[in-house]
Each structure stands twice: as structure tokens, then as C-alpha cells.
Amino acid sequence: LPAERLAYMLDDSGVPLVLTQAALRESVPAREGVAVLAVDALAERLAAESIENPQRGAGAGSLAYVIYTSGSTGRPKGVMNAHRGVVNRLVWMQAHFGIGADDVVLQKTPFGFDVSVWEFFWPLQQGACLVMARPEGHRDPLYLQEVIERRGVTTMHFVPSMLQQFVETADPARCGSLLRVVCSGEALPPALVERFYDRFPAPVALTNLYGPTEAAVDVSCWTCPREASAGVVPIGRPVWNTALYVLDAALRPMPVGTPGELYIGGVQVARGYLDRPGLTAERFVPDPFSAEGGARLYRTGDRARWRADGAIEYLGRLDFQVKVRGFRIELGEIEARLAEHPEVREAVVVAREDAPGETRLVAYIVGEAETGALRDRLRQSLPEYMVPAAFVPLDALPLTPNGKLDRKALPAPEYAAGGEYVAPRTPAEEVLAGIWAEVLRLERVGVHDNFFDLGGHSLLIMRLLAKIQATFDLEISIRTVFSMPTLEALAAEIERMIYEDAATMSEFEAEQLPQFNPIAGV
């Protein structure tokens, strides 16, 4: 996260203490009254502490954690979840899946997202093995395959867009230990379920979970059958001590098969938003179906309907919140940041799927602001996944006859180089340009083009790295692409790595090189 966003979260939450590691100490913004401890530098001090369990001061209703989500007003909002909701969720999960001491759970979700809550605590509660992926490892299917094989992982989580990459990249024969794959964070496409089961044989099972941060991770569950079924993959039925309602605007239940808004009730509903009473009152409403005093429903903003078999189908959003590659994004937060620029008169951000399976954020700008300046400005305050892939300048926003924004009339972006085209000059640049053009679906790519300015994102990076490995027989890290985003820089790094490898070869190894090599002279 950018330093500005970290500083906001520290100020808004009012935490008195930050736990970090020595290598990350400098990235924690300095704040008056906030102590910062690097836990890996406290070995002697911690070893001297008592090994007795401290007295428990928290109760079922005590605050367990606050996780920040994107906010439609331009400010992230902290969601407050209590212990009872988290415990209910964990106890239900154990009863449903039943892991034991022989199981290995892979923890790969960044802990700013609530899926990490069960990834950490569920295996530790049950005496299973907890394996933590390396930083950024959750984006790399080849690395995940290696960890699964080496550590015998039985249980892991994916957002559907990442599962798609994993299914097409990983070798099922190296993932034979897998028993449970859990999906959540996005709608799960039926074609992906079918493809998963085609490639990964029994006994591995694919389960679809649903739940917002405002309700202790997940509130419904559906185990996908191996037999292909047409239509939407359901989000399933409620977990223990949780109620799901599909209601109209007057909070009246909708009949089976009729769409309405999905509401959540029961023990997993969060306290609300930290220091945001107005927003809390808007989204957490009195529960008319509960006999418990003070019970509330959480309005999800999701459109859903009941099926005849008692499962629920998710049908999309009722507002402008979107999910992109599993990240929950309020488009209003991005628009508010853009509107702060003095040369932006109007700004609208949408999530477009102009190519199947490729959802990207696109910003439409009325004003004189330059794209590069806007992108740099957003990166100072927003995480990378919230920075639009394209910025489209408009003379005016399209309007409907009644004066409202006509979102359907917003033009598709053209992903192209920002400056003058410079053709590849070296064999490495030429081959890499072809790979970029294929991955980004462009006719040509120039030497000075930037991968992200052309519409690249984290999942496309994984396709890029897989093709680089197949072509050059090199393993490039995700961090290398972020630090060397231009074709010129990345090609130079590839050349450096190839020549470095060649310099350490024996004469026999050099003779075994294939006849074709994209780098002349090696």
C-alpha cells in the first residue's frame, strides 16, 4: 500500500502499537503516539516473557479485528468484526471440511484481506500444518505448484480469476496432494468449474464460498458437483447461526426465483464501520425477522435470488462497487481522488470486460490533465489494483435524455503506446515485443512502451512470465516486471541473465544448447 494510505489507516484506527519486521520498519509512517516494534529484533526480550497463558480479557462481543475496504466517499472504511462471528465461522468450517493433523493448509492471501483470517487460525486450531507462501507468491501459479508438490498441500484458496490462471498453468500430476480448493471473492464461472474438474481428478473438490468483510469472512457455501450443470454457480446455503434474506426495498421477502437484494443476519454480522455512524446506520439496519434485541441485518448491495433447492444465486451488484481480480473496489473512491486534480473537471471510472475474462478499470476524464500525471497521482494514495489500466480523455461525458450519465455510451479504451513508436533493436527486444503483443492483444509494441500503460495487470504478468520462461528458459520474478516495466528495461535484464548463465556454463553444456536461441551470439 502507498505510504499515504498506510498513514490514513493508522490515523483513522488510532492504534497505539504497530508490529512489523526490521526490514519493513522504514515503510511504517511515523505517527505521534504510535509505537513501532520490529518483532524479529526482540528475540531475547520475548524469550524472557512468561510461557503461561495470559488471563483472557476479551469476550464473545469484543472486537477481534478491523479490516479496511474501499470507500465510496473517497476514504477507506474500517470494518469491525467481533470474536463471536470469527469463532462461529471457524467452527463451522471445521465441521464442514474436517481437517486434521495430516492436512497442510497454504496461507497465501495478503493479511489485509479477510480470507487470511481462516487461513491462519483454522489450521492452527486443528493442529494441521500451516505453510505460508512467500510475498507475492499468491500471484505465481508455477511457484504455487512447486509449493503444493514440495509441502504436500491439501487445502488452499483462490479467487476465481487466479484459479483460472492456475488451472491453465499448473501440472495436475504435481498437485496430487490437493483435497480441497476453496473459491471466493468473485463470481465463479461454470466453465471454470468444468475446466477445473477436467484437469484435476478426484478426490479434490471445489467449493464456492460467499461473504463480505462485514460478516466475518464467509456466510454461504456450495460444493460444486463434478457433473457439469448449466447456469450460474450458486453461492449456496447459509453457514451455521447465519440467516440470508432476499428482500425488496421495503424489506419484504422475495419469492423463489425472483431477484432482490441480499441481506445477512446472525452472529457473523459485524459491529459496523469504525467511527462512521452514518454509514453504519445506512448499511446495518434493524433485523425485523429476529426476536433478539438489537439484532441487525447487513445490506450487501448484491442482487440475488433463491433457487427451488434452497441455494442462492448471486446476480451482480446493485451499485457501483466492483470486484476486479478478487479485489473489492468502490469506484467512487477512485473518482474522488481523480476529482482532486485541479485540471480534472469531471471523472467517471468503470470496470469493463471488453475481452472475455479480462476485467479492467477504465477512467474517463473531462479536463486537461495528462494521463501520466493522473496515474502517478493515484499511485501515491491508492493500491496498484485500484489504478485504472486506461485513461480516456473526453470533451464531455455522454448523457441520457434525462441528463444522467449514459454509461453504455462510454467508448472502449484503446491500449496503445503513449509516445512515438520505436521498433525493437535487439534480438531480445524483438522476441519480447512479440510476447508482449500476444499477452496484451496488441498489434505491435515499442521499445519504450510500459507494460502497465498498455493495460497490463498482475494476472497478465503471470502469462507474461510463463511465456518468458518457455521462450528464454529463464525465471523472471513479478517484482522484476514492476521494477522494469518498459520493454527496453525488461529485455536488457533478460539479456543480462542469459549472458550470466552462459558465462558459468561448461564447454559440454554450451554444446548442448538448442540451435535456436533468441539472443544472437549465445
Side-chain angles (χ1 to χ4, degrees):
L1 297 179
E4 181 180 322
R5 198 175 187 88
L6 291 174
Y8 170 82
M9 291 164 61
L10 287 176
D11 294 339
D12 186 68
S13 63
V15 295
L17 174 65
V18 174
L19 301 181
T20 186
Q21 293 169 297
L24 302 174
R25 176 64 182 81
E26 296 304 315
S27 66
V28 180
R31 282 294 182 268
E32 185 177 353
V34 179
V36 180
L37 289 180
V39 293
D40 53 343
L42 298 174
E44 292 185 7
R45 179 175 168 184
L46 293 176
E49 292 288 337
S50 170
I51 63 172
E52 298 297 322
N53 286 332
Q55 285 192 335
R56 185 172 63 186
S62 299
L63 189 64
Y65 61 81
V66 174
I67 285 182
Y68 280 80
T69 67
S70 181
S72 59
T73 62
R75 293 190 300 147
K77 53 186 183 290
V79 180
M80 301 185 293
N81 274 288
H83 284 273
R84 63 161 60 91
V86 182
V87 171
N88 183 79
R89 168 65 178 72
L90 293 171
V91 173
W92 164 82
M93 195 169 198
Q94 176 59 16
H96 185 81
F97 292 102
I99 62 172
D102 294 334
D103 280 289
V104 179
V105 178
L106 180 60
Q107 196 288 309
K108 68 182 187 66
T109 304
F111 54 80
F113 299 93
D114 61 354
V115 168
S116 65
V117 173
W118 69 255
E119 285 182 333
F120 279 122
F121 293 108
W122 181 34
L124 294 179
Q125 278 189 333
Q126 303 304 326
C129 179
L130 172 66
V131 174
M132 294 183 67
R134 71 187 183 195
E136 303 295 336
H138 66 290
R139 299 178 176 179
D140 188 342
L142 295 178
Y143 163 76
L144 293 176
Q145 168 188 274
E146 188 272 330
V147 173
I148 292 168
E149 182 179 46
R150 179 164 50 89
R151 302 307 299 259
V153 173
T154 64
T155 307
M156 63 188 304
H157 171 272
F158 285 100
V159 296
S161 50
M162 189 61 212
L163 179 63
Q164 182 74 58
Q165 301 296 314
F166 180 79
V167 166
E168 300 302 333
T169 305
D171 179 1
R174 298 182 61 184
C175 303
S177 61
L178 279 180
L179 298 175
R180 310 166 195 88
V181 172
V182 178
C183 260
S184 67
E186 295 171 335
L188 181 58
L192 178 54
V193 176
E194 184 175 356
R195 180 64 173 155
F196 177 85
Y197 281 139
D198 283 346
R199 298 212 65 211
F200 291 83
V204 64
L206 180 63
T207 301
N208 191 30
L209 299 180
Y210 163 87
T213 305
E214 289 86 348
V217 194
D218 300 299
V219 294
S220 70
C221 172
W222 177 261
T223 299
C224 303
R226 282 193 167 267
E227 302 76 26
S229 57
V232 176
V233 177
I235 60 173
R237 302 179 179 88
V239 305
W240 289 355
N241 301 308
T242 300
L244 300 180
Y245 304 94
V246 179
L247 308 175
D248 65 11
L251 299 187
R252 294 174 299 199
M254 304 299 289
V256 171
T258 304
E261 183 173 2
L262 184 61
Y263 286 71
I264 302 170
V267 300
Q268 291 189 198
V269 174
R271 284 186 181 181
Y273 300 111
L274 180 65
D275 294 331
R276 305 283 284 276
L279 185 59
T280 297
E282 177 186 336
R283 305 302 300 183
F284 295 84
V285 299
D287 185 350
F289 309 105
S290 175
E292 182 182 347
R296 294 169 305 152
L297 299 176
Y298 171 66
R299 296 180 53 192
T300 67
D302 289 332
R303 190 166 175 263
R305 67 184 175 195
W306 286 104
R307 300 197 329 179
D309 62 0
I312 290 178
E313 290 182 348
Y314 168 80
L315 303 175
R317 290 292 297 175
L318 294 167
D319 56 17
F320 299 121
Q321 182 190 113
V322 298
K323 287 287 187 75
V324 178
R325 302 187 297 280
F327 296 110
R328 171 175 161 179
I329 299 170
E330 293 279 3
L331 298 176
E333 181 174 0
I334 308 172
E335 292 170 350
R337 293 297 186 181
L338 288 170
E340 294 172 356
H341 194 287
E343 295 183 345
V344 171
R345 294 196 296 275
E346 292 182 284
V348 171
V349 179
V350 300
R352 299 183 64 105
E353 190 175 354
D354 295 310
E358 293 287 348
T359 301
R360 295 172 174 171
L361 295 177
V362 179
Y364 296 87
I365 306 297
V366 178
E368 290 71 43
E370 295 182 354
T371 294
L374 288 176
R375 184 176 275 112
D376 291 342
R377 186 185 184 95
L378 290 181
R379 282 176 174 152
Q380 293 175 13
S381 58
L382 299 177
E384 188 69 37
Y385 63 83
M386 292 182 68
V387 178
F391 293 77
V392 180
L394 298 174
D395 294 330
L397 296 176
L399 303 177
T400 63
N402 61 4
K404 294 184 178 180
L405 174 67
D406 187 355
R407 293 180 178 270
K408 294 181 179 179
L410 291 168
E414 295 182 3
Y415 297 98
E420 182 180 354
Y421 172 74
V422 177
R425 303 155 303 190
T426 68
E429 288 179 351
E430 185 174 350
V431 174
L432 189 59
I435 294 174
W436 278 31
E438 181 182 352
V439 169
L440 296 168
R441 300 180 183 179
L442 297 173
E443 290 187 9
R444 68 178 188 180
V445 177
V447 167
H448 301 307
D449 289 346
N450 184 298
F451 184 78
F452 301 102
D453 292 346
L454 296 178
H457 52 70
S458 58
L459 289 186
L460 289 181
I461 289 178
M462 301 320 307
R463 296 182 194 172
L464 173 69
L465 298 184
K467 291 185 178 297
I468 287 175
Q469 184 174 20
T471 304
F472 295 99
D473 194 24
L474 291 175
E475 288 195 17
I476 303 289
S477 71
I478 295 175
R479 292 180 181 273
T480 299
V481 180
F482 275 105
S483 62
M484 301 177 181
T486 65
L487 183 80
E488 179 181 36
L490 191 57
E493 175 64 9
I494 288 173
E495 284 187 327
R496 184 196 66 77
M497 293 176 68
I498 287 181
Y499 284 116
E500 188 176 78
D501 286 349
T504 61
M505 282 184 181
S506 67
E507 184 176 341
F508 172 78
E509 289 173 325
E511 290 176 355
Q512 308 309 309
L513 285 173
Q515 292 298 309
F516 167 76
N517 195 302
I519 305 301
V522 177

